[in-house]
Structure formats: structure tokens, C-alpha cells
Amino acid sequence: MPDINRILDAVDCELDRSLERLFALLRIASISTDPLHAGECRRAAEWIAADLTDLGFEASVRETGGHPAVIGKHLDGSRHRVLFYGHYDVQPVDPLSLWETAPFEPRITTGRTGTQHIVARGASDDKGQIMTFIEACRAYKIATGTLPIGVTMLIEGEEEMGSKHLPAFVEAHRDELAADVALVCDTGMWDRATPAITLSLRGLVYEEVRVRCADRDLHSGLFGGAARNPIHVLSAILAALHDETGRITLPGFYDGVAELPADVRDEYARLNLTPEGFLGQVGLKVPAGERDRLLIEQISTRPTCDVNGIWGGYAGEGTKTVIPAEASAKVSFRLVGAQDPAKVRDAFHAFVRARIPEDCRVEFISHKGSPAVSVPFDHPKLECARAALADEWGKPAVRIGSGGSIPIIGDFKRVLGLDSLMIGFALEDDRVHSPNEKYDLTSFHKGIRSWVRILHALAQ
Amino acid sequence: MPDINRILDAVDCELDRSLERLFALLRIASISTDPLHAGECRRAAEWIAADLTDLGFEASVRETGGHPAVIGKHLDGSRHRVLFYGHYDVQPVDPLSLWETAPFEPRITTGRTGTQHIVARGASDDKGQIMTFIEACRAYKIATGTLPIGVTMLIEGEEEMGSKHLPAFVEAHRDELAADVALVCDTGMWDRATPAITLSLRGLVYEEVRVRCADRDLHSGLFGGAARNPIHVLSAILAALHDETGRITLPGFYDGVAELPADVRDEYARLNLTPEGFLGQVGLKVPAGERDRLLIEQISTRPTCDVNGIWGGYAGEGTKTVIPAEASAKVSFRLVGAQDPAKVRDAFHAFVRARIPEDCRVEFISHKGSPAVSVPFDHPKLECARAALADEWGKPAVRIGSGGSIPIIGDFKRVLGLDSLMIGFALEDDRVHSPNEKYDLTSFHKGIRSWVRILHALAQ
């Protein structure tokens, strides 16, 4: 085995050029959910395939039926092989007016506390994180001319829209993607100083609902008082989804939701996540979830329901005295444990239909659902990855659950039989999915170094 | 007095040219609520002033501080004088995709039942109705060279946005606008065959409410379950505005709402407005208002609350897993009897504030409010106007209340001491404020003839 320090030195020497490469990727406006940006998504895929080819990977852009994916392979007949997964697509940037600098013109800024930030849409989610791994491979190649284990990379372009086409793609490429374990870099640290390995992810059910009443927009003076208003119908339905204790009222919603083991709950209590610390950073004070749960449970191991968007009637300047013909909302559920996405979707549809007046109609658009996933605490690769992270950060990595969803993780297990170690360097204040998204320069630099150590450890 | 038939003949002979003039006015996209259309509003005012000048009126465009108004005077020292009021501004046209023909390219179409329709935004509300009166004056001039009584016309351009600047304008021009009675042409017939004089109008309170929670948009995976969602807060507030019987729950809301006199209620019951007949035309079946009220009460003599628009979070294509920072709605109340707009507004603000979590904020934008107005059943000019309408239509005109609001009517009473006889020829199926707005050719033609008869009668 080569001396790890030679490789870590290569990371440090290369950092400026590593940043230049990240900035080039961040300049590509690969917003997957907006059809107008399909060309930019393809450009991002082509950029990554070209960069991996430079690195000596056998890499190419692959069609998926939607935005393309990239597969890159660097095998050299090693007996160990990892599958690295990330995504090049990003969330929309609206409201654009709240960005202090253009979302696709990355720059380094200095935060209040003097920390340096890489600011751009995708800086943290997920382009910055992808590049920590690619740059770790580069440092290895620079220092040793090769990689210590076989690496297959799968970078997709539809994660922010539910990875629609990826399961079929993984199915079709199962042999190419075979590995011992998956490494996924789309999660975060516990805090600035404490690395984390995420062992569970919440699943997702995402539904769009449209309520239609009259067959046209109506004058609220002529029809007001007699004509059913779809905004009233929709508001009543959304308001009924939670009770006064914060519990979700869908019948059967909590089926398959397990209680935390007592020792894990104690560990969580000791992490002492406070409303001031967690909600205070975004201007809030009072946890809005189930009253009888720890804040950390509310955001990681308990299921949730959020309305992600609502629209209907007149939203322009001034006044319009209209009773609209229809009103719509996007509603999503985060799932945990053994909750069944299909059952939750059906329960939601039934809940809504039961509240639609007889002379009104409802339509649903169902987006992809995914179950929650988790990795066993005794996974053989888990401890060596934790040790590698401890070497870089000087503290043991905590084992947490993430509130977010990465739909494909479930498919890796189902189709490829792979457990996923989710290791990332994002921070809670990264403003992921929000204006002025950032990634700390430390996350990027020490993230690269962390991957070098993990690749080294996995090769033992 | 000249022979009324000579004047009515002039109406019939002139009809094609009358339509050409109406079409010219309909081609002007005078959407008052959209700042981008300010120039079109002024063009409409100039067009009307020029047309009235051709007619021998002393007419000019007057500044109001907002969109201009038109005053036209044709007095000839007559002892009687009427003030005619109408508005040249129109509602926005969205959703444009639902228009079968361009909203500002008027055309005559033939309806299912063979009736001919003038189709355009403003055809009914209110350009078509204004022109029935102007063309009646024209016929009088053609047939007799003059008008039988003094006529002052006031045509404004901000009715669809609450007539913001008109009260001060009326105050400032009270001497010019002096008259015996006001004639207002912004209301409708009882049905195709039955003329109506509207004696009461509902008032209006129109409020915009914005709920702000976190100081930025949040990722629903990272914060979901702990962060307050402003769409949930807003939905719960809107849902709470009505109880299960359709009553509005604002404390004190019904103060000043009188019961109908028994005989009027009986007359209303005899008019037999049915859900099939009234709601069926727009694809609805079940009256949504107060359960214990006649349908005709729900839409004319009872107060209402409608959400006219709602927006927040992601409304684009696809999915975005966001908890938005804010959500907004436009909420309006129709008032009757002695309900006080200021009290209703205050009650609404208090109702909302009481439901805002301690770590969230709310902001209001208050648009103009107006009280309900009514004309006494024994008004001296009422009976001769009814008789004139009966002569044209062969049926007595019913005396009804309108569910709509014409804010300025209250100011005519307060500032000028004028009662307003609201006489119009719109029909319930005119799709006012909706796509494919129309005005029946019969409404236009017999409307002109009706005004000739009314002017004739008022001159006695």
C-alpha cells in the first residue's frame, strides 16, 4: 500500500485546480424538473464523462429515457469494488430575486464567522459533493498512478425529480454496476466538526391534487354565496391533514412506523438538538411536528406531510373579484420504517375524495414514490469507513438517520443487493434547495481528503 | 314632447353603426388592474370623450390620480338633470387559453339557442352597457336634434380595481356632477324576458394576507416535521372562516345584517330561483352558502366570504420538495345592510392574527372597502322608470338586490345626495369576469330602446 500522506499532499496541492473544475460544473444550469433546461442537463453529463475519461476512467454518457446518466469504470481487476452514486441535476432557483449573486455564477464568499463558502445552485446538492469523490480519485492517480480498489461511478440527472428513469436503467445495467458496497455522497455532517454516516433515509410520496368546481371562473359578486369555491374545498382538506398535536390524520398512515430502540433514542437525546440551534438558523423557534417527539426524531425518524405548493385564482397585482374554477396543491409525505408508499398514496386519495362536494371533481398527478431504507448497524464496511473519517476529522462519525429521500438507494438494495454507506460533507446551513445555496470550502477540501482515507481503508 | 316612436325608429336604423362604435371601444384592452395596460385605459377614455363630443356633449378626459375619467355634459338649461355613470375599464383576461376567440377582437357569434352574442372582454361589463345609453342619446339627437333632459355623464376607468380615486374626484367635481338622480348601467335583467331595477348592492372588503414562517425556503427532507409550513397555517385560517352550515365565523360579522321583510321574502320565493337554473349554467348543483337561506338570498341579500386567489411554494412543472418561506391569499367579503367595512376588516385581521404561530408573521394589504347601499322603494323616479321598461319589454320590471358591488354608488349618495337607479341589460350567462364574456345583441338593441323610453319618461 502507498503512504496515505503522499496522496493527502496531492489533494492539498491540487485544491485550486479542483475548485476550478467544480466551478466549471456549477456554471451549467442543469435544472432537471424544468423541460427548458434539458440541454443544460445533457451538457453537465457530457462534462462529467469527459472529466472521468481524463482521469483514466472508461466513461460515457448513457441514455435513460429522460435526462442522461454517466457511467465511469476504473477497475484494473481489483478484488474490491465500490459503486459511487451522485447526481448532477439541481433544483429550480426561484425565487430568483432572493439570490445575492447569480445562481449559476459560482463564487467564493466569506461568511459571518469567517468561514469561506462556495456559493451557487448545486454547490452542496450535489455537484460539490460529487467532486469531493472525483478529486479524491484524481489525487490517488496523481500520487500513485492508479486507484487502490475498483471504482464504478453512476452519476444521474433526475434525482431532484424523483429519479424517474433510474430504476429501469440500474436494472438494465446490473452487471456493469456490480460492486461490494455503494458509496453515496448526498448527505451531510452532524455539525461543522463532526462527520456522520447516514444509515437511514425517509421515503417519499409526492402527489399533485387539483380540485375543480364550476366549469369556468365566476364573478364573486354574482355567484358569491352560492357557488362552491375550490380554494375553500382545498384549504379545508389540507387543514384536516394534521391534528392539533401535529399528528397526520390519514387513516393507517403510521402503519409500519417503528419506535426507536431505547439506546438509540438515548444517544439522540444526548446529541441534544435544540430548537434554538436547529430552527433558529432559519428564523423559527417552535418545532411544528408531533408534540411528543424529540426534535431530531421529527426531522429524521418520524414521517411527515408538507404542502410544497398551492395555487388557484388571481395572484396578480391588485384585486380581482373571482371565484376560480379550480385550485391545486402539491403535497408530499416523508416515510420511515416499513410505511408502504402505495398504501399512503391510496389513503391520501381516499382522504381527499371523501371531502369533495358532490358537484365538484378532483384529479391527481402521482409522482414517483419510494420506501424508506436503512443499513444494518453491523455492516462489514461501516467500521472501517468510520475509522477513516475519525482520522481526518479527529472525532468519531455519528450514525444518524436522514430526513431526506434518495429514491435510488432502495433500488441499489433491491436490484444490485448493495447496501449504501451515505457519507457527505454538507452542513445544515447550506441553504440546499433555497436561494444562495453554499458549500463550505472546508467541506470540499476535507471531503476530498476523507474520501482518500476511505478508499485507502476499503482497500485493506 | 316628440313622438317616442320616431326616436325608437332612429335606434333601429342606426343599429349597425351603433355596433361598429361598440366594437371600436371593445378593441381597446383597458385592463385597469394591470399597470402595463395604463396606456390602453387612457386610449379608452379619449375614445369616449371624442365620441361624446361628436354627439354635441361638452366632454373631456379628466385626471384622477389614477386612470383618467371622462365627464360629458349636455344640459341646454333643462330643469331635469340625470347623472349617468359607467366604467370603461375591464377585468384581466387570464386564463387566456380558455378564450375561443381573442378577448379584444370582438365578434358576433350565434349561441346554442340561436341568440346572437357580442363576444369580447367588456362586452357586457361594462362597455356594452355604457354604449346602450350613449346610443340612446344619439338616437334622440338624430330624431329631435336635442335631448329631453339635461344629461351629465361620468365614465371612470378604475371600477374593476375598487374605484380608488373616484370618491375624491366626485368630491372635487360635486357642482359639475349635480343632478336629480343617478342612472347606473352596470347591472342585469332578471332573465332574458324580464327587465329589472336593482335597488341594493352588496358592499365589499378586499384584503390580501401574507403569512411568513422561516426566513427562507427550506428543504422538506431536512426540515420537514419541525419547520412550520406557511401553507398549512394559511389553509387552516381559510378553512376556519366558514362553519359546516356555511355561516361565516368572524366574530361580529353579521352585525347590521337585517332580515328581509316577509313580503319581499315571499316575492323572492315566488321568483323561484333554482339550483338547476342558476348553478346548472356553470356546472354546479349544490348551493354552497348558508344552509337555511333561499338561493336568491345567498347571492343578493346575504353577506359572503370568498378566497379569490391563493399562492405559495412551487407551482411549476414536476416536483420540488420545498417548505416555502411564505404563502399568500386574496380574501374578499361581500357586505349587506349596515355592515361596517372597517369593522369587518378589523375582525378579519384579528381572526388571522389569533391563528399565527408565535414564530411566524403576517402582513396585510387592505384594498378599498365599501358599505352596502340601497334605494328606497318609494323613490319618486322609480315608478316612471319601471313603466318605461315595461313598455319596452312587455313585463313589469322586478325590483331586486344585486350581489355585486359598485363602490361609487355609496359616494353618490354621501357626496352628491343622489339615489342611483341601477338599470342594466346584462344576463346571468354573460360570463362576466370569465373567458368568452358576451353581451346579447338583444340586450344591446332593446337596451338602447329602453334608455330612450326612460329619458322620455324622466322628462315628463
Side-chain angles (χ1 to χ4, degrees):
Chain A
M1 293 294 299
D3 171 10
I4 182 92
N5 294 310
R6 276 179 45 229
I7 306 158
L8 295 172
D9 292 345
V11 171
D12 302 344
C13 297
E14 193 67 11
L15 184 59
D16 288 351
R17 282 177 295 279
S18 300
L19 272 171
E20 284 168 22
R21 285 182 286 265
L22 171 58
F23 276 30
L25 180 57
L26 289 172
R27 289 191 188 97
I28 304 174
S30 46
I31 301 170
S32 54
T33 198
D34 179 352
L36 296 177
H37 287 70
E40 294 287 281
C41 289
R42 185 168 293 274
R43 271 187 57 217
E46 288 163 350
W47 187 95
I48 290 164
D51 192 48
L52 290 178
T53 304
D54 288 348
L55 255 180
F57 277 70
E58 178 195 335
S60 59
V61 172
R62 309 293 187 94
E63 298 310 321
T64 65
H67 300 302
V70 176
I71 291 182
K73 286 176 288 186
H74 193 294
L75 304 182
D76 306 337
S78 155
R79 63 193 170 84
H80 296 302
R81 193 189 299 181
V82 295
L83 172 66
F84 179 88
Y85 163 84
H87 63 92
Y88 64 75
D89 63 318
V90 299
Q91 282 273 322
V93 295
D94 57 291
L96 191 55
S97 58
L98 297 186
W99 285 79
E100 284 156 23
T101 61
F104 296 107
E105 291 169 20
R107 62 201 68 204
I108 303 271
T109 66
T110 303
R112 268 189 260 74
T113 60
T115 55
Q116 292 199 284
H117 299 159
I118 302 160
V119 178
R121 168 60 85 226
S124 175
D125 180 15
D126 185 37
K127 291 171 175 173
Q129 304 240 59
I130 294 173
M131 293 305 287
T132 57
F133 188 83
I134 292 177
E135 293 300 320
C137 294
R138 195 181 315 270
Y140 240 107
K141 295 280 289 193
I142 290 170
T144 72
T146 184
L147 299 180
I149 57 174
V151 173
T152 303
M153 296 193 62
L154 171 63
I155 310 298
E156 72 147 325
E158 297 189 311
E159 196 273 344
E160 300 295 2
M161 55 193 296
S163 299
K164 270 204 218 69
H165 298 88
L166 200 60
F169 182 85
V170 168
E171 195 91 47
H173 300 76
R174 56 194 313 158
D175 298 340
E176 264 187 295
L177 300 174
D180 314 326
V181 67
L183 300 175
V184 174
C185 192
D186 198 15
T187 54
M189 311 259 294
W190 170 251
D191 60 33
R192 290 211 125 53
T194 316
I197 297 182
T198 301
L199 298 175
S200 67
L201 289 171
R202 290 195 284 196
L204 182 69
V205 165
Y206 198 112
E207 295 289 300
E208 196 164 317
V209 53
R210 171 181 297 155
V211 177
R212 299 172 182 271
C213 294
D215 59 17
R216 69 197 69 161
D217 286 356
L218 304 173
H219 187 310
S220 71
L222 302 182
F223 286 87
R228 187 74 58 180
N229 185 323
I231 302 177
H232 299 186
V233 174
L234 184 59
S235 299
I237 290 168
L238 299 179
L241 281 168
H242 292 84
D243 69 16
E244 63 291 338
T245 72
R247 259 181 90 83
I248 292 149
T249 57
L250 288 190
F253 181 72
Y254 290 93
D255 295 351
V257 179
E259 288 300 319
L260 283 179
D263 61 325
V264 177
R265 197 177 185 288
D266 294 347
E267 188 183 313
Y268 278 14
R270 278 195 304 277
L271 285 173
N272 189 31
L273 185 69
T274 63
E276 300 65 34
F278 181 71
L279 292 175
Q281 68 182 316
V282 296
L284 294 171
K285 283 191 204 137
V286 188
E290 298 167 276
R291 275 199 205 134
D292 55 343
R293 299 292 171 174
L294 294 170
L295 178 53
I296 188 172
E297 287 183 280
Q298 292 183 349
I299 60 169
S300 64
T301 61
R302 297 296 299 177
T304 67
C305 168
D306 268 297
V307 183
N308 304 107
I310 188 166
W311 64 99
Y314 186 66
E317 217 184 300
T319 64
K320 184 178 181 185
T321 51
V322 65
I323 298 174
E326 59 181 58
S328 304
K330 293 178 191 259
V331 182
S332 62
F333 299 87
R334 299 280 174 175
L335 309 183
V336 303
Q339 281 181 297
D340 177 343
K343 277 196 186 152
V344 169
R345 171 179 299 119
D346 294 346
F348 175 65
H349 289 194
F351 184 90
V352 172
R353 290 188 197 284
R355 288 161 175 78
I356 300 294
E358 63 168 286
D359 56 351
C360 303
R361 291 149 297 150
V362 62
E363 294 164 11
F364 297 96
I365 299 174
S366 296
H367 298 286
K368 185 174 183 303
S370 61
V373 290
S374 58
V375 174
F377 281 85
D378 60 357
H379 188 283
K381 304 289 186 185
L382 179 57
E383 282 317 306
C384 67
R386 291 187 75 203
L389 284 167
D391 290 344
E392 176 61 28
W393 297 88
K395 294 179 73 166
V398 296
R399 288 160 297 184
I400 57 176
S402 164
S405 302
I406 308 176
I408 197 60
I409 300 287
D411 299 285
F412 286 162
K413 183 69 179 179
R414 188 174 49 75
V415 179
L416 305 177
L418 292 184
D419 285 314
S420 299
L421 298 183
M422 292 170 268
I423 301 169
F425 308 96
L427 296 173
E428 256 163 21
D429 66 359
D430 278 354
R431 296 184 290 267
V432 163
H433 292 207
S434 303
N436 307 307
E437 177 178 352
K438 62 88 177 167
Y439 196 48
D440 279 23
L441 188 56
T442 318
S443 294
F444 186 62
H445 185 191
K446 289 175 73 67
I448 299 169
R449 291 172 55 95
S450 298
W451 283 122
V452 164
R453 294 181 187 275
I454 292 168
L455 289 171
H456 194 79
L458 291 175
Q460 307 303 318
Chain B
M1 293 295 300
D3 170 10
I4 182 87
N5 294 310
R6 277 179 45 227
I7 306 159
L8 294 172
D9 291 345
V11 172
D12 302 344
C13 297
E14 193 68 10
L15 184 59
D16 288 350
R17 284 177 294 280
S18 300
L19 272 172
E20 285 168 23
R21 286 182 285 266
L22 171 58
F23 277 30
L25 180 56
L26 288 172
R27 287 189 189 100
I28 304 173
S30 45
I31 302 169
S32 54
T33 198
D34 179 353
L36 297 177
H37 287 69
E40 294 287 281
C41 290
R42 184 167 294 272
R43 271 187 57 217
E46 288 163 350
W47 186 95
I48 291 164
D51 192 50
L52 290 177
T53 304
D54 288 348
L55 255 179
F57 277 69
E58 177 196 335
S60 59
V61 172
R62 310 292 188 94
E63 298 310 321
T64 65
H67 299 302
V70 176
I71 291 182
K73 285 174 289 186
H74 192 294
L75 303 181
D76 306 338
S78 153
R79 63 194 168 84
H80 296 302
R81 192 189 301 181
V82 295
L83 172 66
F84 179 88
Y85 163 85
H87 63 92
Y88 65 74
D89 63 318
V90 299
Q91 282 274 321
V93 295
D94 57 291
L96 190 56
S97 59
L98 297 185
W99 285 79
E100 285 156 21
T101 61
F104 297 108
E105 290 169 20
R107 60 201 69 204
I108 303 272
T109 65
T110 304
R112 266 189 262 74
T113 60
T115 55
Q116 293 199 284
H117 299 160
I118 302 160
V119 178
R121 167 61 83 225
S124 175
D125 180 14
D126 184 39
K127 291 172 176 174
Q129 305 241 57
I130 293 172
M131 292 305 287
T132 58
F133 188 84
I134 292 178
E135 292 300 319
C137 294
R138 195 181 316 270
Y140 238 109
K141 295 280 290 193
I142 290 169
T144 72
T146 183
L147 298 180
I149 57 173
V151 173
T152 303
M153 297 192 62
L154 171 63
I155 310 298
E156 72 146 323
E158 297 188 311
E159 196 274 344
E160 300 294 3
M161 53 192 297
S163 299
K164 271 203 217 72
H165 299 88
L166 200 60
F169 183 83
V170 167
E171 195 91 48
H173 299 75
R174 56 196 312 159
D175 299 340
E176 263 187 293
L177 300 174
D180 313 326
V181 68
L183 300 175
V184 174
C185 192
D186 199 16
T187 54
M189 313 258 296
W190 170 252
D191 59 34
R192 291 211 124 53
T194 315
I197 297 181
T198 301
L199 298 176
S200 68
L201 289 171
R202 291 196 283 197
L204 182 69
V205 166
Y206 198 112
E207 295 290 299
E208 198 166 315
V209 53
R210 170 180 297 154
V211 177
R212 298 173 181 272
C213 294
D215 59 17
R216 70 197 68 162
D217 286 354
L218 304 174
H219 187 309
S220 71
L222 301 183
F223 287 87
R228 187 74 58 180
N229 186 323
I231 302 176
H232 299 184
V233 174
L234 184 60
S235 299
I237 290 168
L238 299 178
L241 282 168
H242 292 85
D243 69 16
E244 63 290 340
T245 72
R247 259 180 90 82
I248 291 150
T249 56
L250 287 191
F253 181 72
Y254 289 94
D255 295 352
V257 179
E259 288 301 319
L260 284 179
D263 62 323
V264 177
R265 195 176 186 288
D266 294 346
E267 190 184 312
Y268 278 14
R270 279 195 304 277
L271 286 174
N272 189 33
L273 186 69
T274 63
E276 299 65 32
F278 181 71
L279 292 176
Q281 67 182 315
V282 295
L284 293 172
K285 286 194 202 129
V286 187
E290 297 168 278
R291 276 202 203 130
D292 55 343
R293 299 292 170 174
L294 294 171
L295 177 53
I296 188 173
E297 287 182 282
Q298 292 183 347
I299 61 169
S300 63
T301 61
R302 298 296 299 177
T304 67
C305 167
D306 268 296
V307 183
N308 304 108
I310 188 166
W311 64 99
Y314 185 66
E317 219 184 300
T319 64
K320 184 178 180 185
T321 50
V322 63
I323 298 174
E326 58 181 61
S328 303
K330 293 177 191 260
V331 181
S332 62
F333 299 87
R334 299 279 173 176
L335 309 184
V336 303
Q339 281 181 297
D340 178 343
K343 276 195 185 150
V344 169
R345 171 177 299 121
D346 295 347
F348 175 66
H349 289 195
F351 184 90
V352 173
R353 290 188 198 285
R355 289 161 175 77
I356 300 295
E358 65 168 285
D359 56 350
C360 302
R361 293 148 296 150
V362 62
E363 295 164 9
F364 298 95
I365 299 173
S366 295
H367 298 285
K368 183 175 185 302
S370 63
V373 290
S374 58
V375 174
F377 281 85
D378 60 355
H379 189 282
K381 304 289 186 184
L382 178 56
E383 282 317 308
C384 67
R386 290 187 77 204
L389 285 167
D391 290 343
E392 177 61 28
W393 298 86
K395 298 180 69 165
V398 295
R399 288 161 297 186
I400 57 176
S402 164
S405 303
I406 309 177
I408 197 59
I409 300 287
D411 299 286
F412 286 162
K413 182 69 179 180
R414 189 175 47 76
V415 179
L416 306 176
L418 293 184
D419 284 314
S420 299
L421 298 183
M422 292 169 268
I423 301 170
F425 308 96
L427 296 173
E428 257 164 19
D429 65 359
D430 278 355
R431 296 184 290 267
V432 162
H433 291 208
S434 302
N436 307 307
E437 176 178 354
K438 63 87 177 166
Y439 196 47
D440 279 23
L441 188 55
T442 318
S443 294
F444 186 61
H445 185 192
K446 290 176 73 67
I448 300 170
R449 291 171 55 94
S450 298
W451 283 121
V452 165
R453 294 182 187 275
I454 291 167
L455 289 171
H456 194 79
L458 291 175
Q460 308 300 320

